[in-house]
Amino acid sequence: MTNALPVGATIGILGGGQLGRMLAVAASRLGLKVHIFEPGANPPAGDVAHRLTTASYDDHAALTAFGQSVDVITYEFENIPTSALDLLETLAPIHPGRQALATSQDRLTEKTFLQGLGLQTAHFANVPDMAALEAALATIGAPAILKTRRMGYDGKGQARIKAADDAPRAFVDMAGAPAILEGFVNFSLEVSVIGARGQDGAVACYDPGENVHEDGILRTTTVPARLTASQRTDAVLIAARILNALDYVGVMGVELFVTPQGLIVNEIAPRVHNSGHWTQNGCTICQFEQHIRAVAGWPLGDGSRHADVTMENLIGGDMDKLADYAKTDAAIHLYGKDEVKPGRKMGHVNRIFRA
Ligand code: AMP
């Protein structure tokens, strides 16, 4: 393990949400410490981290102290301000690297990159203004989806266009943000591959999971997904191609639409991913440990699946049913968030179907 961080080293994590929390738990199991940087008060990751810095991403003194206190930096969300990264990268290595972040922060860059790799995406066009939207609709056709180029997640910053006369309303919904128009993909299934790449270039992908969304938010992920053997292989090869092209280090989520024309890449997330939470109870090495291993320069672990699993998110009022979940044999994972809000991810449960 040349270049591997020794036990006792510190991993800095930008973002203190549930993903940071589960990364911190995995790191501590490996004898590594975690320092969380998070602007918000009482972050879920703060409960389980060795250190917590509460400061904003434009607080240079706080960022500098954070960067000096860690051996490597990673992150749990992709919309980190560029100025913060410029400063931090002078203090410690950042994994996954800047190219992966820049690619996934902007839907236009992302789709252009994916097409450049020979992968299929939805038809898309850049929409800087209303005239461009009309031109894009004339080429791509309706139905279509207008999405902000940046800062979109869980279906936010998106407007469906069922027919051309929906265009002005959809454009207003973008609130002046640069956008792209995507042709509507008629998919039979949504699946995702959670892939990892180590510092030595080794790639390991988990079995693809089948995702069901409600109101734009992930509801369940089920493994195995209803894919043919060749679709499953194709999905994993697509993820590996993306990981290698970005010279990636860490775990990535690759969301795919399954269509009769093949697999279409929806988006990539340069981090551990909600649709990979099933690995906590379905694999020996879960996505969180895999990510920590990669960024720490350790060898990747074996991500093979030893059970069929359904992961169900506990969203908002689902927490009222916690006592019922606790009576079942489902594995419960809660994020320690103080306040229940509609649409807020509070935890998840993993149900194992075959040991
Ligand atoms: P996104 O934020 O891009 O992941 O989109 C959230 C969800 O909206 C996806 O998981 C799909 O269910 C749906 N969606 C996004 N883009 C498209 C598209 N081009 N065609 C059909 N459905 C889409």
Side-chain angles (χ1 to χ4, degrees), residues 107 122 145 147 153-155 158 160 182-185 187 190 213 216 255 257 266-267:
R107 292 185 193 274
I145 307 184
K147 299 183 180 180
Y153 70 98
D154 283 352
Q158 301 193 7
R160 303 259 165 143
E182 285 184 25
F184 197 81
V185 177
F187 54 82
E190 286 188 81
H213 292 86
E255 295 182 19
F257 296 135
N266 174 30
E267 63 180 7

Side-chain angles (χ1 to χ4, degrees), residues 188-277:
S188 53
L189 292 182
E190 286 188 81
V191 299
S192 55
V193 177
I194 308 301
R197 190 168 176 277
Q199 290 185 19
D200 57 359
V203 168
C205 294
Y206 293 98
D207 202 7
E210 180 174 331
N211 299 325
V212 174
H213 292 86
E214 272 173 27
D215 303 325
I217 302 176
L218 184 67
R219 183 82 222 171
T220 60
T221 301
T222 301
V223 280
R226 287 171 293 164
L227 294 173
T228 63
S230 68
Q231 285 172 324
R232 187 167 287 123
T233 305
D234 198 20
V236 166
L237 290 176
I238 287 171
R241 194 180 314 176
I242 297 169
L243 290 165
N244 285 328
L246 292 170
D247 196 18
Y248 195 86
V249 172
V251 163
M252 169 184 278
V254 180
E255 295 182 19
L256 302 161
F257 296 135
V258 182
T259 77
Q261 291 74 42
L263 299 177
I264 294 181
V265 186
N266 174 30
E267 63 180 7
I268 59 176
R271 53 173 169 77
V272 286
H273 198 256
N274 193 169
S275 68
H277 292 359

Side-chain angles (χ1 to χ4, degrees), residues 21 40-47 319 334-341 344-346:
R21 176 182 174 101
N42 302 324
D47 294 350
M319 286 298 277
L334 299 180
Y335 308 150
K337 295 183 182 175
D338 354 308
E339 208 187 331
V340 178
K341 289 187 201 156
R344 191 173 199 204
K345 291 175 181 170
M346 305 300 297

